Amino acid sequence: MRFLISLAFSVLFSALAHAAPVLFPAGSGDADAPILTVYSSLDEPLARPMIVGFQKANPDVAVRYEDMLTGEIYDRIVKETDAGQKTADFAFSSAMDLQVKLSNDGYAQRSDLPMSGRWPAWANWRNTAYALTFEPAVFVYHKPSFKDERPPATRAEFVDYLKRKGSAVFGRIGTYDIERSGVGFLFMSRDQEQFGDIWTVIRAMGSAGVKLYSTSQAILERVSDGRFVLGYNILGSYAADWASRHPDVGIVLPRDYTVVMSRIGLVPQAAAAPELGRRYLEFFMSKEGQTIMARELQIPAVSPDVAGENTANTMQEMLGAQLKPVPVSPGLMVYLDQVKRARLIARWNEMLRLQ
């Protein structure tokens, strides 16, 4: 699917320390221009087109961009707020659960914007936390290994393939380690809600000697060179970049259902300049901002006003009810409960022990 190959490359959780803050001077040249401070898990080079677009529309504003890990964004906003200090004016993170927790616990403020009423209901939590991207979880496969048959397109077909191939594919399946990968845990928790027989899939992967990794890259490297034949529940935005550069990597959006995660934007309650944070969020949600995100950042747009490739509109027209976006709601916080999280991980490990 051509639209999928254009999706963003980005690692949901970076293993590297966050970069030093980058200052984008105001386009007006005013050295005393007000400064918008952004905490974001999106690498600054990828975010640059959005910042440039915002500053073209707002030449009177300088932007201080701080690229950091998702957990750091949450911890820093909470710590600064609780200490009575000012914090970021806008927070953009792929950790959906932590962003919703900030909103639910009073660390984010309401932002009533021109697009608020038209934003998809699943992507808007009380005009406080907004889903701004649309990124599917996919199966990836080694194309030469499937020259004589098509790759699995549903979870039932995935299990059937593993059982039929037996020792030929043992140790050649990869997925996220849900104890170490936030996106892996999110996808697994949604699998449990969407598919009553999900533990059959996990058990089959355990029997097939599945290998677990904390990053997409480790799995995709092995699929691209044939060490692995299949990868399960891989973040589509990162998989698409590999597929565009490694012709032996194929991508399947599971036909039974495809989980879609999003990056969430919000204005913190203790923002130093909340009006600037709302101005940036408004630009992010505008037709212009969402078009920049889809075309230049190469991250799928959510806005109902943006059509064409790399948008939720196009994917939904093509796939309909197959797509299962993760709603922006307090339901995301269920597995932040350590008891529930531990219970899910324990069952996961129990199913995998069959290998």
Side-chain angles (χ1 to χ4, degrees):
M1 295 183 183
R2 198 157 67 93
F3 75 87
L4 185 59
I5 299 305
S6 68
L7 296 182
F9 70 95
S10 59
V11 182
L12 189 60
F13 295 100
S14 172
L16 303 176
H18 64 80
V22 178
L23 181 65
F24 295 80
S28 65
D30 182 1
D32 296 320
I35 298 176
L36 162 70
T37 298
V38 177
Y39 293 172
S40 174
S41 63
L42 184 65
D43 292 347
E44 179 269 325
L46 284 176
R48 187 175 288 264
M50 183 67 75
I51 297 169
V52 171
F54 171 77
Q55 289 190 305
K56 283 183 180 178
N58 298 270
D60 58 326
V61 179
V63 177
R64 177 185 171 89
Y65 193 86
E66 300 202 35
D67 171 8
M68 60 184 75
L69 305 180
T70 57
E72 289 178 301
I73 293 172
Y74 174 84
D75 290 342
R76 189 161 167 190
I77 289 174
V78 169
K79 181 179 179 180
E80 290 171 344
T81 304
D82 289 351
Q85 302 171 355
K86 294 301 182 181
T87 189
D89 305 312
F90 182 75
F92 184 55
S93 174
S94 52
M96 298 184 72
D97 51 358
L98 295 178
Q99 290 289 85
V100 169
K101 184 169 174 57
L102 285 174
S103 175
N104 189 71
D105 293 352
Y107 291 96
Q109 56 183 277
R110 188 178 176 94
S111 295
D112 298 314
L113 302 169
M115 283 297 296
S116 295
R118 300 191 58 243
W119 212 246
W122 64 266
N124 178 1
W125 173 244
R126 296 182 174 178
N127 287 12
T128 303
Y130 293 89
L132 301 173
T133 70
F134 196 82
E135 303 176 64
V138 303
F139 298 166
V140 295
Y141 65 97
H142 180 241
K143 288 182 179 178
S145 297
F146 288 90
K147 63 179 183 296
D148 296 323
E149 64 179 308
R150 65 180 181 83
T154 67
R155 286 159 183 81
E157 290 179 3
F158 195 96
V159 171
D160 177 69
Y161 176 82
L162 297 183
K163 289 181 176 178
R164 283 191 295 105
K165 294 298 183 178
S167 60
V169 299
F170 187 87
R172 300 179 66 201
I173 312 298
T175 193
Y176 296 117
D177 180 344
I178 70 168
E179 293 189 71
R180 295 187 294 152
S181 166
V183 67
F185 188 91
L186 172 66
F187 289 155
M188 180 60 215
S189 64
R190 298 305 293 180
D191 272 348
Q192 187 174 229
E193 295 171 9
Q194 294 289 339
F195 189 52
D197 204 24
I198 189 59
W199 295 110
T200 298
V201 180
I202 308 307
R203 189 161 49 241
M205 287 199 292
S207 297
V210 67
K211 305 297 184 184
L212 307 179
Y213 298 90
S214 59
T215 68
S216 305
Q217 178 175 336
I219 298 166
L220 288 162
E221 283 178 349
R222 289 162 174 79
V223 172
S224 64
D225 65 18
R227 281 177 286 170
F228 286 0
V229 292
L230 286 168
Y232 178 79
N233 260 4
I234 309 305
L235 185 63
S237 52
Y238 197 52
D241 175 63
W242 273 79
S244 69
R245 294 183 291 109
H246 299 84
D248 285 345
V249 175
I251 295 173
V252 174
L253 279 75
R255 281 204 317 267
D256 44 359
Y257 66 90
T258 299
V259 175
V260 180
M261 63 79 64
S262 302
R263 301 166 201 262
I264 293 177
L266 56 80
V267 177
Q269 184 63 43
E275 71 285 355
L276 294 183
R278 267 188 283 277
R279 209 192 295 187
Y280 192 63
L281 176 58
E282 181 178 346
F283 181 78
F284 231 118
M285 296 171 67
S286 70
K287 184 174 182 179
E288 180 183 0
Q290 287 275 295
T291 299
I292 289 173
M293 189 168 64
R295 293 181 182 175
E296 298 188 48
L297 275 68
Q298 295 296 301
I299 299 178
V302 173
S303 174
D305 290 346
V306 180
E309 293 187 8
N310 215 25
T311 66
N313 274 336
T314 296
M315 292 189 208
Q316 289 168 330
E317 287 173 6
M318 294 177 66
L319 304 172
Q322 174 181 328
L323 298 172
K324 303 294 182 182
V326 178
V328 181
S329 76
L332 278 163
M333 299 189 298
V334 169
Y335 291 101
L336 289 176
D337 181 309
Q338 293 305 305
V339 173
K340 292 178 180 177
R341 178 182 176 85
R343 190 176 297 142
L344 177 59
I345 290 173
R347 189 169 185 192
W348 162 271
N349 287 329
E350 178 184 351
M351 292 295 139
L352 291 182
R353 284 194 194 102
L354 288 173
Q355 73 182 58

